């Protein structure tokens, strides 16, 4: 994948992330990046203990596209956690190998507001989605689930064209 230079890019290195072309929808706190609005986000690099959370506003009816481009994420919790989004798609970039691995236990709970009030939960998979999730592309994805499930969605879960 040839990036043009104006994409919102998250480049992981060790226990940190560098964000290029911040679109005003990213919040970095400790070892977590939270995406708060629809758009395209390109993930690359390796992180030993980092989490990407998607939590868009109820009024944001767009789609969050995460392009996995030679990314390797490990976390004590779910490395990719979709709390709230109309739709999230993981794109496995052609010719790339990507990996996601979670920890063997859960100690964190997440609290956030929904239109029905406060929601408190913990994650149950390495890739954990509360809303629609699609995984597609011609790249490869290895998911190592040490706690419970590898990939879990509370709504629709679709796969197309990838090697998992």
């Amino acid at each position: 994948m040839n990036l043009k230079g104006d994409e919102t890019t998250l480049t992981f290195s060790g226990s940190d992330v560098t964000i290029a072309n911040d679109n005003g929808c990213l919040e970095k706190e400790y070892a977590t990046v939270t995406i708060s609005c629809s758009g395209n986000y390109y993930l690359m690099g390796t992180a030993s203990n980092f989490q990407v959370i998607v939590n868009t506003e109820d009024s944001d009816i767009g789609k969050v596209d995460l392009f996995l481009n030679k990314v390797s994420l490990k976390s004590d919790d779910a490395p990719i956690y979709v709390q709230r989004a109309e739709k999230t798609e993981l794109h496995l970039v052609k010719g790339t190998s990507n990996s996601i691995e979670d920890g063997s236990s859960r100690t964190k709970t997440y609290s956030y507001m929904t239109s029905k009030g406060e929601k408190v939960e913990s994650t149950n998979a390495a890739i954990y989605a509360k809303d629609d999730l699609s995984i597609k592309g011609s790249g490869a994805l290895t998911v190592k689930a040490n706690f419970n499930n590898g990939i879990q969605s509370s709504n629709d879960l679709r796969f197309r064209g990838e090697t998992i």
Side-chain angles (χ1 to χ4, degrees):
M1 163 179 258
N2 293 325
L3 298 176
K4 298 179 288 184
D6 59 350
E7 297 86 357
T8 302
T9 305
L10 291 77
T11 304
F12 298 93
S13 179
S15 60
D16 199 12
V17 65
T18 303
I19 299 170
N21 301 313
D22 186 343
N23 61 355
C25 295
L26 299 170
E27 180 182 331
K28 177 183 166 186
E29 184 177 328
Y30 183 58
T32 303
V33 170
T34 301
I35 298 170
S36 62
C37 53
S38 60
N40 296 334
Y41 302 89
Y42 296 83
L43 285 61
M44 53 188 86
T46 301
S48 57
N49 192 21
F50 219 94
Q51 185 176 43
V52 175
I53 297 175
V54 176
N55 187 4
T56 61
E57 299 293 326
D58 286 336
S59 61
D60 187 348
I61 59 170
K63 166 175 76 147
V64 175
D65 292 284
L66 302 177
F67 292 84
L68 306 186
N69 186 8
K70 298 180 186 174
V71 70
S72 177
L73 295 177
K74 292 182 182 179
S75 177
D76 292 339
D77 207 281
I80 297 178
Y81 173 29
V82 180
Q83 281 181 343
R84 187 174 47 172
E86 179 72 20
K87 181 176 180 86
T88 301
E89 290 187 357
L90 299 182
H91 300 267
L92 307 178
V93 175
K94 182 178 181 177
T96 66
S97 293
N98 305 279
S99 66
I100 304 294
E101 181 178 349
D102 69 348
S104 60
S105 64
R106 294 295 191 266
T107 58
K108 292 169 76 174
T109 58
Y110 300 88
S111 175
Y112 57 96
M113 295 303 295
T114 69
S115 59
K116 297 178 182 177
E118 185 177 22
K119 176 84 174 166
V120 178
E121 66 185 12
S122 60
T123 63
N124 202 30
I127 299 173
Y128 187 69
K130 298 299 293 177
D131 288 312
D132 293 348
L133 178 67
S134 297
I135 302 174
K136 58 182 168 181
S138 58
L141 175 62
T142 301
V143 178
K144 184 172 182 183
N146 294 306
F147 177 68
N148 195 15
N149 299 321
I151 302 170
Q152 180 176 333
S153 175
S154 296
N155 286 346
D156 293 341
L157 177 61
R158 295 189 174 132
F159 297 92
R160 193 174 71 196
E162 64 291 312
T163 301
I164 297 182

